[in-house]
Amino acid sequence: MSDSRHRSPPPRGREVPLREPSPEAHSTRGFVSDTLSAARRGLGKFVEYCTGPSDFDVEQLQIEVQRLREVDSELQARSVELEKEIKRMERKLQDRENQREGLKDVTKQLAVAQRFLSTADSLSQAEAVRAMEALNEEIFQLTSIVADRVQIEEKKRLSNEEEVAILEHSPLLSGLRAFLDIVVPKQLEDTLAIQIGWQAILVPWCSDIIQAWVVEDLSHGRGVNSGMQTMYQAILSESERVSHLVH
Amino acid sequence: MTTGIIIETLTYLPLLCGYILNQGGLDDIYRAFEQRIGPLLDKCLKFRKMVGEGITSTDIRPYCFSPGERYGPNVYADLEYEDEKKEKETSNAQQGMIACSLSLGLYCTRTTRNRDGKFEESRELILKPKVILQDTLKRIIE
């Protein structure tokens, strides 16, 4: 623009002056004009788009917008549903958690009860064992003390009839056949065998008392015979072991 | 509960064996037992009450062996008055007829329902009774 000072005054308004290309630009002219034309074409389209789309395009757009609106409301509805679902799940989860807590408590209580019961069980078992050992000791002591009162130095064997009579009179004794067969014929040196025999008599007697359903009242001052009758019947009815010995 | 019968039975034993020669001797033994049987009866009744009213979930019961029963490897009982030397040699092989019991044992029972819905009783032995074998009795009175 070396000679712009000497030209006519600059154009007003929109007029775009076309300048003659200078002779020096002659070699790049084709390229430039091509580029310009392409740009003009694109610009034209853009201008068209911005300033005045055709009726056909509007319809398209409207359809497009409507479709998008539908999709959007669908998605909204789905979103609401999903939120509800989530809330439901959360409630369920919370319920389960509460249940679990409840069960944990119950389990703890049961464990305590279980320990208590087992302890009570094993305590009771240990107690029972101790009590029985004491009872056995009592049997031993009692028989040992009275055994000292038996004079074994002089033995006078009973007659057959006398032996039979005693055994008939005392069913408990006849149950000791396995013992009597060995001890009766022998002249004892000490009272140990007598003590053992007495233990043998007391052991099943104690067992019967412990297992009896009905225990008669302890009565004092009754005659031996009536006592024997009652005792005999009581034993027969409550202990099949003894009744089989009698028969 | 009268103790007359048991005292009578006890008294008859030395009589049967030939060591009571007069009524006085008989009365003496009778009285001796009469005086001392009370504490034993008490213990029995207390024990009965204890296992009857216990808070256990199982039933505890006494048991003993009858004269004439067989002793063997699976018999749950302690042998009394055994020869120590003999015991070490043949401890597992001891067999023989039981002369009598010397003490009570204990077992506890538990009744449960098995898979078929039937009631099953299981037993656990918690105290062994003491017994003496016939052969052992023979030996110690020699």
Side-chain angles (χ1 to χ4, degrees):
Chain A
M1 295 211 198
S2 51
D3 54 351
S4 63
R5 284 178 298 173
H6 306 293
R7 288 246 183 147
S8 48
R12 281 188 225 110
R14 284 174 169 236
E15 280 174 57
V16 178
L18 271 172
R19 291 189 56 216
E20 289 289 329
S22 60
E24 295 86 60
H26 154 76
S27 59
T28 62
R29 188 181 170 170
F31 171 71
V32 170
S33 77
D34 282 347
T35 309
L36 274 173
S37 313
R40 247 186 238 126
R41 273 197 304 277
L43 184 65
K45 276 215 171 99
F46 181 71
V47 167
E48 261 177 41
Y49 185 81
C50 290
T51 59
S54 65
D55 285 339
F56 176 71
D57 290 328
V58 168
E59 208 178 298
Q60 276 285 83
L61 283 172
Q62 278 176 341
I63 292 171
E64 193 65 26
V65 165
Q66 186 55 34
R67 193 180 71 80
L68 286 171
R69 282 208 183 112
E70 280 167 20
V71 169
D72 184 51
S73 63
E74 260 176 59
L75 286 170
Q76 291 251 46
R78 184 106 180 87
S79 168
V80 166
E81 248 182 65
L82 284 171
E83 295 234 340
K84 280 194 192 153
E85 190 74 20
I86 287 171
K87 283 224 165 62
R88 232 194 341 262
M89 286 298 155
E90 278 177 351
R91 265 202 301 275
K92 252 194 186 168
L93 199 65
Q94 189 57 42
D95 284 343
R96 289 273 165 87
E97 275 302 313
N98 294 343
Q99 253 188 359
R100 267 189 73 229
E101 285 303 310
L103 282 172
K104 260 198 224 166
D105 277 342
V106 171
T107 309
K108 263 194 212 153
Q109 285 175 31
L110 277 174
V112 171
Q114 185 87 329
R115 266 198 303 272
F116 178 74
L117 273 174
S118 321
T119 315
D121 262 4
S122 38
L123 265 182
S124 295
Q125 275 185 26
E127 260 184 305
V129 167
R130 267 198 302 275
M132 183 52 81
E133 284 174 334
L135 200 149
N136 285 330
E137 184 62 24
E138 182 72 33
I139 293 172
F140 181 85
Q141 290 297 332
L142 167 62
T143 54
S144 178
I145 287 169
V146 183
D148 283 344
R149 305 176 82 93
V150 177
Q151 314 284 346
I152 45 117
E153 293 79 20
E154 217 184 308
K155 175 174 171 139
K156 193 177 168 199
R157 184 106 191 234
L158 299 177
S159 69
N160 244 8
E161 291 82 11
E162 284 171 323
E163 283 182 9
V164 168
I166 290 177
L167 288 173
E168 273 176 8
H169 193 62
S170 185
L172 288 180
L173 265 186
S174 54
L176 288 178
R177 190 116 264 162
F179 168 89
L180 296 169
D181 285 349
I182 292 170
V183 174
V184 170
K186 198 84 176 60
Q187 165 67 58
L188 298 171
E189 303 287 312
D190 56 37
T191 55
L192 179 59
I194 302 292
Q195 184 190 346
I196 287 172
W198 280 337
Q199 286 177 269
I201 293 166
L202 286 171
V203 160
W205 181 71
C206 293
S207 183
D208 288 346
I209 292 171
I210 289 165
Q211 300 187 85
W213 284 98
V214 175
V215 178
E216 291 176 44
D217 290 334
L218 191 68
S219 58
H220 302 277
R222 277 220 243 154
V224 170
N225 283 338
S226 60
M228 191 162 80
Q229 189 74 358
T230 323
M231 185 65 175
Y232 186 85
Q233 275 165 358
I235 290 171
L236 274 182
S237 64
E238 287 162 2
S239 168
E240 28 171 341
R241 186 182 47 74
V242 176
S243 69
H244 101 258
L245 288 174
V246 170
H247 302 304
Chain B
M1 153 155 289
T2 60
T3 50
I5 290 183
I6 199 68
I7 296 174
E8 223 179 63
T9 310
L10 290 163
T11 311
Y12 284 160
L13 180 66
L15 178 67
L16 189 61
C17 295
Y19 301 107
I20 309 257
L21 306 173
N22 51 51
Q23 187 66 41
L26 200 71
D27 291 343
D28 184 51
I29 302 297
Y30 190 95
R31 265 197 302 273
F33 274 120
E34 203 177 33
Q35 284 166 12
R36 292 173 178 80
I37 200 84
L40 178 59
L41 179 61
D42 258 355
K43 283 191 164 69
C44 290
L45 292 172
K46 282 201 178 98
F47 190 90
R48 180 175 170 273
K49 187 165 178 172
M50 180 173 71
V51 297
E53 296 176 8
I55 48 170
T56 58
S57 57
T58 62
D59 231 352
I60 295 178
R61 291 183 200 155
Y63 81 105
C64 58
F65 290 92
S66 296
E69 288 191 62
R70 281 259 141 219
Y71 180 82
N74 295 325
V75 173
Y76 202 71
D78 279 336
L79 296 178
E80 283 289 281
Y81 301 105
E82 288 296 304
D83 191 331
E84 270 175 32
K85 199 169 73 176
K86 189 182 171 195
E87 217 175 289
K88 278 176 194 158
E89 285 169 10
T90 60
S91 53
N92 283 332
Q94 293 229 272
Q95 296 206 10
M97 187 181 279
I98 291 173
C100 58
S101 288
L102 299 175
S103 75
L104 278 174
L106 280 179
Y107 66 90
C108 60
T109 70
R110 197 185 296 266
T111 309
T112 51
R113 260 218 154 114
N114 67 9
R115 280 196 201 131
D116 304 325
K118 292 195 185 137
F119 283 104
E120 234 172 35
E121 193 188 79
S122 60
R123 291 188 176 192
E124 191 200 339
L125 302 162
I126 57 176
L127 179 64
K128 282 193 199 175
K130 290 181 186 156
V131 299
I132 184 168
L133 298 178
Q134 255 194 344
D135 289 343
T136 312
L137 183 60
K138 266 185 213 159
R139 187 172 44 77
I140 63 172
I141 64 173
E142 281 303 324

